[in-house]
Amino acid sequence: MRKLEELQSLIASSVAELKYPEYPAELYEPIKYILALGGKRMRPALLLMACDLFGGDVEAALPPALAIEVFHNFTLMHDDIMDNAPKRRGKTTVHEKWNNNVAILSGDVMLIEGYKLMMQVRDNILRTVLDVFNDTAVGVCEGQQLDMNFETISNITIPEYINMIRLKTAVVLGGALKIGALIGEAEMKDAELLCSFGEYLGIAFQLQDDILDVYGNPEKFGKQVGGDIISNKKTYLLIKAQELVKGTDAEELSRWISLPAFDAAEKVAAVTQLYNSVNIRQYAEAEMQAYAEKAFEALEQINLPEESKQYLRDFADGLLVREY
Amino acid sequence: MRKLEELQSLIASSVAELKYPEYPAELYEPIKYILALGGKRMRPALLLMACDLFGGDVEAALPPALAIEVFHNFTLMHDDIMDNAPKRRGKTTVHEKWNNNVAILSGDVMLIEGYKLMMQVRDNILRTVLDVFNDTAVGVCEGQQLDMNFETISNITIPEYINMIRLKTAVVLGGALKIGALIGEAEMKDAELLCSFGEYLGIAFQLQDDILDVYGNPEKFGKQVGGDIISNKKTYLLIKAQELVKGTDAEELSRWISLPAFDAAEKVAAVTQLYNSVNIRQYAEAEMQAYAEKAFEALEQINLPEESKQYLRDFADGLLVREY
């Protein structure tokens, strides 16, 4: 099996070789720009990894892997407009550098270009692969819509939250793995198990991200601790805390959430203490662990040699214990 | 052959039967809303017509025809954001009724839903049909970008303008006809000739639209005469006039274009007189006629019985002499 890092750098060099027309420049320059911003190229690397695990030709899987990366960057380009985000990976976002119209239309073309790349598979799996791609794409859009809706809804339940992160983050990991497996001539049953592995792992990963925001080591995590608390982001931790805190603590939590101006460090400390008072970290870790276990259960059922399963276990372990 | 009106009403009833999920409502309500606004359903009807002409099963061609209509409405939803349009077919546009984010994301889902419908063709033509759809979709986006660019460019040439309307308006007519022909088991050569027929006809139709805006009978045309003149829209007429008028007439035309405030009727009358002074109508009609002839030349080469060709000639004649 090829190392994940090797697959990621194969993707990086292939992305750099993607060619787009010169004219109209406003349509194609932003595509080249956002694709050149970098990133870990994790989603397309997963597609290659799945193909490789089933003994498929990694080179043949490159165009569909690039399709996943182009699709992912299309979602970023449109999400950045919707989220009014000025920066992406430290650089100016497309709608800020050009304008909203350019970002809308370039994004549209990227989605189509994604389909063109995804179609570069054998005839006998073309329909199946595109069905998976369609479902993945719709799922990601639904996830983004739910994420935006949740900003203005006060009573989100944990199952609603899990469903949102599944759609917004996890289905594309599952979809990439499934498509890679199909290109590697896996049986449909195994491709679907690998898809479930990816989806559950994606949910666990997002839950870990929620935990790290509050309890992570800022030096290893690389983000400001408590960023989600400062912005009242409805993470697993906040939703669960709102369920559990009672009486004056509930009032205190509501007060922090509704305060228009505050000292950031003070808010982070106060809300973290409220979280601690109802053991939020333990709940969140248990939920994360439950999804990790579902991922491993799916993995065990896949018809792959032990060595390949160990590769996937190691991959999952690496993903889930990264930065405490 | 089935009458065009019959095909249009078949599309209308099939559009009404399209089903989308209830949740998230912000994603799917706008899709139902824009599809229910009506319209002539000309593009999908052309797809069915092409299939019918080659003896294909019109019912089997319905999903791809609906794909063209869903795709077309995706472009309208996103174009309306970009053009800041408050109304579409007399009703509030999606971005006005909801907001820009909803219109961006619902539009994205519509494009994906378009692919899902377009995939409902026989395996042996799936790749070819999707290739045509991809090219059509990219073309329409390029056309929209060029159209937006032209708003702020002063020296557009006639070939640049023709290329813009070809991409923005004509390629989707050609694409719909080509896909319909392929579903009807036409030879590729005939499908491509029918595609050319549609593209040339689309260009001729748009040129006629430019002419009608100034010289049409407002009662038959149904639009305000001179709307393009009032808004300084860069039509064939204006671009050609800017090429041809000289001396004080050129200054006069520039003055009207740069006036921030004016009496609409006065501007329309003055600019029309400038157009007349250099025979713009004759140039435009000759250009339109040249594209109509290219359409008829392509048509003559198609391997179809005389009766079918006559049907297409009648269709083209009906389209090009509609409202003088």
Side-chain angles (χ1 to χ4, degrees):
Chain A
M1 271 94 61
R2 299 215 204 168
K3 285 208 176 113
L4 188 63
E5 296 74 32
E6 187 192 332
L7 299 173
Q8 285 170 295
S9 70
L10 179 58
I11 293 290
S13 57
S14 306
V15 166
E17 281 165 25
L18 280 171
K19 291 273 177 286
Y20 292 101
E22 297 293 320
Y23 179 84
E26 296 79 3
L27 206 54
Y28 293 110
E29 280 299 320
I31 300 179
K32 297 175 205 170
Y33 175 81
I34 197 170
L35 286 173
L37 291 184
K40 293 195 291 294
R41 316 294 190 191
M42 186 59 87
R43 293 159 191 81
L46 285 180
L47 190 152
L48 297 185
M49 183 180 91
C51 175
D52 193 35
L53 280 173
F54 285 95
D57 176 3
V58 166
E59 297 295 324
L62 259 176
L66 292 171
I68 289 288
E69 186 65 9
V70 169
F71 169 78
H72 175 57
N73 280 275
F74 141 71
T75 65
L76 298 181
M77 203 188 279
H78 278 190
D79 285 3
D80 283 343
I81 310 172
M82 296 185 245
D83 301 342
N84 219 350
K87 296 278 178 184
R88 159 79 52 197
R89 293 183 182 126
K91 296 280 176 68
T92 309
T93 45
V94 168
H95 65 102
E96 284 283 327
K97 189 173 164 73
W98 285 270
N99 57 54
N100 277 13
N101 288 0
V102 161
I104 291 171
L105 204 54
S106 279
D108 292 345
V109 172
M110 284 189 94
L111 178 51
I112 302 162
E113 293 294 331
Y115 275 97
K116 283 162 76 170
L117 286 163
M118 193 54 86
M119 282 177 59
Q120 296 180 40
V121 294
R122 301 184 307 275
D123 281 347
N124 68 329
I125 56 168
L126 177 61
R127 187 181 296 277
T128 314
V129 163
L130 288 178
D131 283 342
V132 177
F133 189 50
N134 287 333
D135 289 346
T136 302
V138 168
V140 173
C141 291
E142 290 185 354
Q144 168 68 5
Q145 184 64 53
L146 293 175
D147 196 19
M148 291 194 297
N149 289 355
F150 286 3
E151 285 175 23
T152 53
I153 299 175
S154 56
N155 53 342
I156 302 153
T157 65
I158 293 293
E160 284 171 335
Y161 176 72
I162 299 284
N163 184 49
M164 184 278 284
I165 60 174
R166 181 183 70 80
L167 290 165
K168 182 160 176 168
T169 307
V171 293
V172 70
L173 305 180
L177 286 167
K178 186 170 181 181
I179 290 169
L182 291 168
I183 295 169
E185 299 186 51
E187 299 283 334
M188 181 54 87
K189 185 170 160 288
D190 291 320
E192 281 172 355
L193 285 166
L194 193 59
C195 179
S196 296
F197 167 76
E199 250 187 64
Y200 289 133
L201 196 63
I203 295 170
F205 183 77
Q206 184 59 51
L207 289 168
Q208 174 178 258
D209 215 56
D210 290 0
I211 299 167
L212 286 173
D213 181 77
V214 179
Y215 298 106
N217 177 337
E219 281 168 35
K220 290 188 188 167
F221 188 42
K223 288 188 196 172
Q224 179 185 25
V225 166
D228 290 346
I229 290 177
I230 293 165
S231 66
N232 293 330
K233 184 143 196 283
K234 294 205 181 78
T235 66
Y236 178 92
L237 284 71
L238 177 55
I239 298 165
K240 193 74 188 173
Q242 286 176 317
E243 252 181 60
L244 294 177
V245 293
K246 303 288 175 204
T248 53
D249 280 357
E251 285 164 27
E252 175 82 354
L253 184 57
S254 295
R255 193 179 67 81
W256 278 111
I257 288 169
S258 57
L259 267 188
F262 49 81
D263 177 82
E266 199 187 338
K267 179 173 177 180
V268 172
V271 174
T272 303
Q273 183 141 13
L274 289 164
Y275 284 179
N276 292 342
S277 74
V278 284
N279 298 317
I280 284 304
R281 182 174 181 168
Q282 285 73 5
Y283 281 103
E285 284 178 351
E287 187 90 7
M288 179 190 115
Q289 208 49 49
Y291 280 99
E293 269 161 36
K294 282 173 194 268
F296 287 116
E297 275 166 32
L299 165 59
E300 291 313 318
Q301 297 172 61
I302 303 173
N303 183 22
L304 272 175
E306 175 53 29
E307 188 197 6
S308 304
K309 289 188 185 179
Q310 192 55 47
Y311 179 103
L312 285 167
R313 275 183 220 115
D314 292 344
F315 164 70
D317 285 336
L319 210 64
L320 291 184
V321 294
R322 28 169 213 158
E323 289 121 349
Y324 275 98
Chain B
M1 271 94 61
R2 299 215 204 167
K3 287 208 175 114
L4 188 63
E5 296 74 32
E6 187 192 332
L7 299 174
Q8 285 170 294
S9 70
L10 179 58
I11 294 289
S13 57
S14 305
V15 166
E17 281 165 25
L18 280 171
K19 291 273 176 289
Y20 291 101
E22 297 293 321
Y23 178 85
E26 296 80 2
L27 206 53
Y28 292 110
E29 279 299 321
I31 300 179
K32 297 176 205 169
Y33 175 81
I34 197 170
L35 287 173
L37 291 184
K40 293 193 292 294
R41 317 292 190 191
M42 185 59 86
R43 293 159 191 80
L46 285 180
L47 191 152
L48 296 185
M49 183 180 91
C51 175
D52 194 35
L53 279 172
F54 285 95
D57 176 3
V58 166
E59 298 294 324
L62 259 176
L66 293 171
I68 289 287
E69 185 65 10
V70 169
F71 169 79
H72 175 57
N73 279 276
F74 140 72
T75 66
L76 299 181
M77 201 187 279
H78 277 191
D79 285 3
D80 284 343
I81 309 171
M82 295 185 243
D83 301 341
N84 219 349
K87 295 279 177 184
R88 158 79 51 198
R89 294 182 181 126
K91 296 280 176 67
T92 309
T93 45
V94 168
H95 67 101
E96 284 282 328
K97 189 173 164 72
W98 284 270
N99 56 54
N100 278 11
N101 288 358
V102 161
I104 292 171
L105 204 55
S106 281
D108 291 346
V109 172
M110 285 189 93
L111 177 52
I112 303 162
E113 293 294 331
Y115 275 97
K116 283 163 74 171
L117 286 163
M118 193 53 86
M119 283 178 60
Q120 296 179 41
V121 294
R122 302 185 306 278
D123 280 347
N124 67 330
I125 57 167
L126 176 62
R127 188 181 294 278
T128 314
V129 163
L130 289 178
D131 283 342
V132 177
F133 188 50
N134 287 333
D135 289 347
T136 302
V138 168
V140 172
C141 291
E142 290 186 354
Q144 168 68 5
Q145 184 63 54
L146 293 176
D147 196 18
M148 291 194 296
N149 290 354
F150 286 4
E151 285 176 22
T152 53
I153 299 174
S154 55
N155 54 342
I156 302 153
T157 65
I158 293 293
E160 284 171 336
Y161 176 71
I162 298 284
N163 184 48
M164 185 277 283
I165 60 175
R166 180 182 70 80
L167 289 165
K168 182 159 177 172
T169 307
V171 293
V172 70
L173 304 180
L177 286 168
K178 186 170 181 180
I179 290 169
L182 291 168
I183 295 169
E185 298 187 50
E187 299 283 334
M188 182 53 88
K189 186 172 160 288
D190 291 319
E192 281 172 356
L193 285 165
L194 193 60
C195 178
S196 296
F197 167 76
E199 248 185 67
Y200 288 133
L201 196 63
I203 295 170
F205 182 78
Q206 183 59 51
L207 288 169
Q208 174 178 257
D209 214 56
D210 289 0
I211 299 167
L212 286 172
D213 180 77
V214 178
Y215 298 105
N217 177 338
E219 280 168 34
K220 291 189 187 167
F221 188 42
K223 287 188 198 171
Q224 179 186 25
V225 166
D228 290 347
I229 291 177
I230 293 165
S231 65
N232 293 330
K233 184 142 196 282
K234 293 202 182 79
T235 66
Y236 178 93
L237 284 72
L238 177 55
I239 298 165
K240 193 74 187 172
Q242 287 177 316
E243 252 180 61
L244 295 177
V245 293
K246 303 286 175 205
T248 54
D249 280 358
E251 284 164 27
E252 175 80 355
L253 184 58
S254 295
R255 192 179 66 83
W256 278 112
I257 288 169
S258 57
L259 268 187
F262 49 82
D263 177 81
E266 200 186 337
K267 178 172 177 179
V268 171
V271 173
T272 303
Q273 183 141 10
L274 289 164
Y275 284 179
N276 292 343
S277 73
V278 284
N279 297 317
I280 285 303
R281 183 174 182 169
Q282 284 73 5
Y283 280 104
E285 284 178 352
E287 188 90 8
M288 179 191 116
Q289 209 48 49
Y291 280 98
E293 269 160 37
K294 281 172 193 268
F296 286 116
E297 275 166 34
L299 165 58
E300 291 312 318
Q301 297 173 61
I302 302 173
N303 183 22
L304 272 176
E306 176 53 29
E307 187 197 6
S308 304
K309 288 188 185 179
Q310 192 54 47
Y311 178 103
L312 285 168
R313 278 185 217 113
D314 293 344
F315 164 70
D317 285 337
L319 210 63
L320 291 184
V321 293
R322 27 166 216 163
E323 289 121 348
Y324 275 99

